[in-house]
Amino acid sequence: MSVQLTKGESAEMYIKAIGELTLEEALVPISTLASRLGISPVSATEMVHRIVEQGLVEHERYKGVRLTETGKRRAMLVLRRHRLWERFLTDKLKLPWEDVHDLACRLEHAVGTEVIDALVDFLDEPSSCPHGNPIPNSEGEFEYSDGVQLNTLRQGDEGVILRIHPESRDVLSFLAQKRIKPGAALSVIDVDDFDGLLTISINGVDQIIGQRIASHIVVAA
Amino acid sequence: MSVQLTKGESAEMYIKAIGELTLEEALVPISTLASRLGISPVSATEMVHRIVEQGLVEHERYKGVRLTETGKRRAMLVLRRHRLWERFLTDKLKLPWEDVHDLACRLEHAVGTEVIDALVDFLDEPSSCPHGNPIPNSEGEFEYSDGVQLNTLRQGDEGVILRIHPESRDVLSFLAQKRIKPGAALSVIDVDDFDGLLTISINGVDQIIGQRIASHIVVAA
DNA sequence: CCACGTTTATAGGCTAGCCTAAATAGTTAG
DNA sequence: CTAACTATTTAGGCTAGCCTATAAACGTGG
Ligand SMILES: [Mn+2]
Ligand SMILES: [Mn+2]
Ligand SMILES: [Mn+2]
Ligand SMILES: [Mn+2]
């Protein structure tokens, strides 16, 4: 009769986070990981030791962590589940763009391949999440299309928004409110000399946004 | 940025199980609960104390447990989520009848009202799970249509299968294999004098089934 | 009415994940 | 080359959920 409750969702969140942070730096400091997960550095270190034991990551002392091949595959499969659930929640259930990220973060741990494969069929093999990030295939492989962070653009530059990365509820609801989404064309009207505030024209409207938020917006190169 | 992992799935499983077992006896002995959940009686007793503290159940010493109003509502909402996910998994994802119960048992804890309400719309407000059990409404209310357990029928009795209850992977795959599902008409050809083996005619085929499995099959009165 | 079986409690233990405070080790800028 | 800063470890603690072994309390059949 036994029912079996999950355990080990944490490990999945750790490797997923490492996978996402690896896009920025090859070696992720445990402190960065800890703050991303909202966990104390001490606890993060403990958990890192556990997942090192499990062969999911390598740790270079005082430098940071890196996923092993196994770990990378596992992490990408979590990301796959996450992004597929996001597609389902937005496309089929019509839930708000800014809500689905957190909801998918719960669902991503609940069920495995059987459901996910069926979900892929049901959704007609989508290639990206609603926020523009690519969905890894069943082997955990995927490619990011080339793009640059909006905060690196200068006055006069133009481009189309490719994706929002990394995703978080705060960032997404801020952007939803300003109607800034993947697919939108934009041009940089001005970049402030002091704080780097960007004045951009998007959907025919001028908006002023800061460096922090701009770093989450990836624009086609 | 904190991520928040669930905890408390166990409590949901306990109250759900109590809710289901209450159909048979008003006061559920902790031992019954324990064996249903595949947990030791000592651990089940501990957990019962915790959910008593939380006001979800009442415990009559040496008799058993009973859901409080709050507990009943909560339990029925878990059941609601469970049965809705089952419908989704069978109707939309085309997953096997006998697989969806266990899968839904994972999904039922993952997300709350926002997703479930949207799911109800998406599924066009289904009234029962694929195994014939009614889906409680958003207040946790529902009604079982009248029915009797197949093992209480005698030779010559006829009826239509209403539902399978209680559900479990073993029971469902056994029945799937024998193509015994809700909606099917059956008649009792014979009841064995010694072990109560039932010979039934269903879908034009004769089948012999035991008392244990027959007790999971509810037939229209 | 009392012995036997069931139910509950007690005692002692375990793992996963989290925490803080304080000590120590490594890196790097000046 | 060392002080300051950062990264990690150590120590000590906590909760939720599980476990086994053993003891005590209860309730009922004969
Ligand atoms: Mn998650
Ligand atoms: Mn996304
Ligand atoms: Mn469950
Ligand atoms: Mn069902």
Side-chain angles (χ1 to χ4, degrees):
Chain A
M1 303 289 96
S2 68
V3 177
Q4 296 323 15
L5 297 179
T6 320
K7 3 192 128 175
E9 296 195 1
S10 267
E12 288 189 342
M13 288 304 287
Y14 275 78
I15 59 174
K16 190 182 80 164
I18 296 167
E20 290 178 306
L21 292 166
T22 297
L23 293 176
E24 286 148 41
E25 8 182 14
L27 221 40
V28 181
I30 292 183
S31 53
T32 306
L33 185 57
S35 77
R36 157 60 87 96
L37 292 169
I39 280 165
S40 78
V42 176
S43 299
T45 305
E46 270 180 6
M47 189 57 166
V48 162
H49 291 331
R50 277 194 282 265
I51 57 184
V52 164
E53 282 309 297
Q54 294 171 43
L56 300 175
V57 301
E58 289 162 356
H59 181 204
E60 282 189 25
R61 284 162 130 262
Y62 295 96
K63 300 288 177 54
V65 293
R66 174 194 308 116
L67 294 170
T68 60
E69 272 312 304
T70 314
K72 183 171 181 181
R73 214 184 104 87
R74 289 270 288 276
M76 292 307 110
L77 291 179
V78 178
L79 225 39
R80 171 177 164 82
R81 299 197 293 270
H82 180 99
R83 291 175 182 166
L84 283 166
W85 279 119
E86 280 189 343
R87 273 256 82 96
F88 169 70
L89 296 172
T90 43
D91 296 356
K92 304 293 182 177
L93 299 196
K94 314 293 183 195
L95 292 171
W97 199 70
E98 63 271 29
D99 287 359
V100 300
H101 178 73
D102 286 2
L103 294 168
C105 191
R106 309 292 318 282
L107 291 166
E108 68 193 356
H109 312 290
V111 289
T113 319
E114 182 180 15
V115 172
I116 294 304
D117 288 350
L119 193 57
V120 167
D121 282 352
F122 183 60
L123 297 172
D124 282 323
E125 313 191 9
S127 59
S128 70
C129 87
H131 316 100
N133 293 295
I135 297 176
N137 67 21
S138 58
E139 303 306 317
E141 301 152 351
F142 72 100
E143 261 176 51
Y144 271 111
S145 41
D146 287 339
V148 293
Q149 289 174 300
L150 176 53
N151 58 313
T152 66
L153 297 191
R154 328 241 165 140
Q155 186 180 340
D157 288 346
E158 300 189 357
V160 173
I161 299 178
L162 277 180
R163 58 180 176 270
I164 310 303
H165 188 93
E167 300 179 11
S168 77
R169 193 192 177 82
D170 301 332
V171 168
L172 293 174
S173 49
F174 182 87
L175 294 177
Q177 202 184 311
K178 293 207 179 296
R179 308 193 193 292
I180 297 176
K181 294 196 179 185
L186 60 75
S187 60
V188 180
I189 309 281
D190 184 54
V191 182
D192 167 327
D193 280 336
F194 301 102
D195 297 304
L197 294 188
L198 292 121
T199 306
I200 59 176
S201 168
I202 182 167
N203 304 321
V205 185
D206 285 9
Q207 308 247 21
I208 299 180
I209 62 175
Q211 284 281 311
R212 277 272 299 288
I213 197 81
S215 73
H216 289 267
I217 301 170
V218 180
V219 177
Chain B
M1 302 297 93
S2 68
V3 175
Q4 294 325 12
L5 298 180
T6 319
K7 6 190 124 173
E9 297 195 0
S10 265
E12 288 188 343
M13 288 305 288
Y14 275 79
I15 58 173
K16 190 182 79 164
I18 296 167
E20 290 177 304
L21 293 166
T22 298
L23 293 176
E24 286 147 42
E25 5 180 19
L27 220 40
V28 180
I30 292 183
S31 52
T32 306
L33 186 57
S35 75
R36 158 59 86 95
L37 292 170
I39 280 164
S40 78
V42 177
S43 299
T45 305
E46 270 180 4
M47 190 57 165
V48 163
H49 291 332
R50 277 194 283 265
I51 57 184
V52 164
E53 282 309 298
Q54 295 171 44
L56 300 174
V57 301
E58 288 162 357
H59 181 206
E60 282 189 25
R61 286 162 128 262
Y62 295 95
K63 299 288 178 54
V65 294
R66 175 194 306 117
L67 293 169
T68 61
E69 272 310 305
T70 314
K72 182 170 181 183
R73 212 185 106 89
R74 290 270 288 275
M76 293 306 110
L77 292 179
V78 178
L79 225 39
R80 171 177 164 83
R81 298 198 293 269
H82 180 98
R83 292 174 181 165
L84 284 166
W85 280 119
E86 281 188 342
R87 271 257 84 95
F88 169 70
L89 295 171
T90 42
D91 296 357
K92 303 295 182 176
L93 300 196
K94 314 294 183 194
L95 291 172
W97 200 69
E98 63 271 29
D99 287 359
V100 301
H101 178 73
D102 286 2
L103 294 169
C105 190
R106 308 292 317 285
L107 290 166
E108 68 194 357
H109 312 289
V111 289
T113 317
E114 181 181 15
V115 173
I116 294 304
D117 288 351
L119 193 57
V120 167
D121 283 351
F122 182 60
L123 298 172
D124 281 324
E125 314 192 8
S127 59
S128 71
C129 86
H131 316 101
N133 292 295
I135 297 175
N137 67 20
S138 59
E139 302 306 317
E141 303 151 350
F142 71 102
E143 262 175 51
Y144 272 110
S145 41
D146 287 337
V148 294
Q149 288 174 301
L150 176 53
N151 58 313
T152 65
L153 296 192
R154 327 238 168 147
Q155 189 181 336
D157 287 346
E158 299 188 357
V160 173
I161 299 179
L162 277 180
R163 59 178 175 271
I164 310 303
H165 186 92
E167 300 179 13
S168 76
R169 197 201 171 78
D170 302 332
V171 168
L172 294 175
S173 48
F174 182 87
L175 294 177
Q177 201 184 311
K178 294 207 179 297
R179 307 194 192 292
I180 298 176
K181 295 194 179 186
L186 61 76
S187 60
V188 180
I189 310 280
D190 184 54
V191 182
D192 165 327
D193 280 338
F194 301 101
D195 297 305
L197 295 189
L198 293 122
T199 306
I200 59 174
S201 168
I202 182 167
N203 304 321
V205 185
D206 284 11
Q207 309 245 22
I208 300 181
I209 62 175
Q211 284 281 310
R212 278 270 301 286
I213 197 80
S215 73
H216 289 267
I217 301 170
V218 180
V219 178

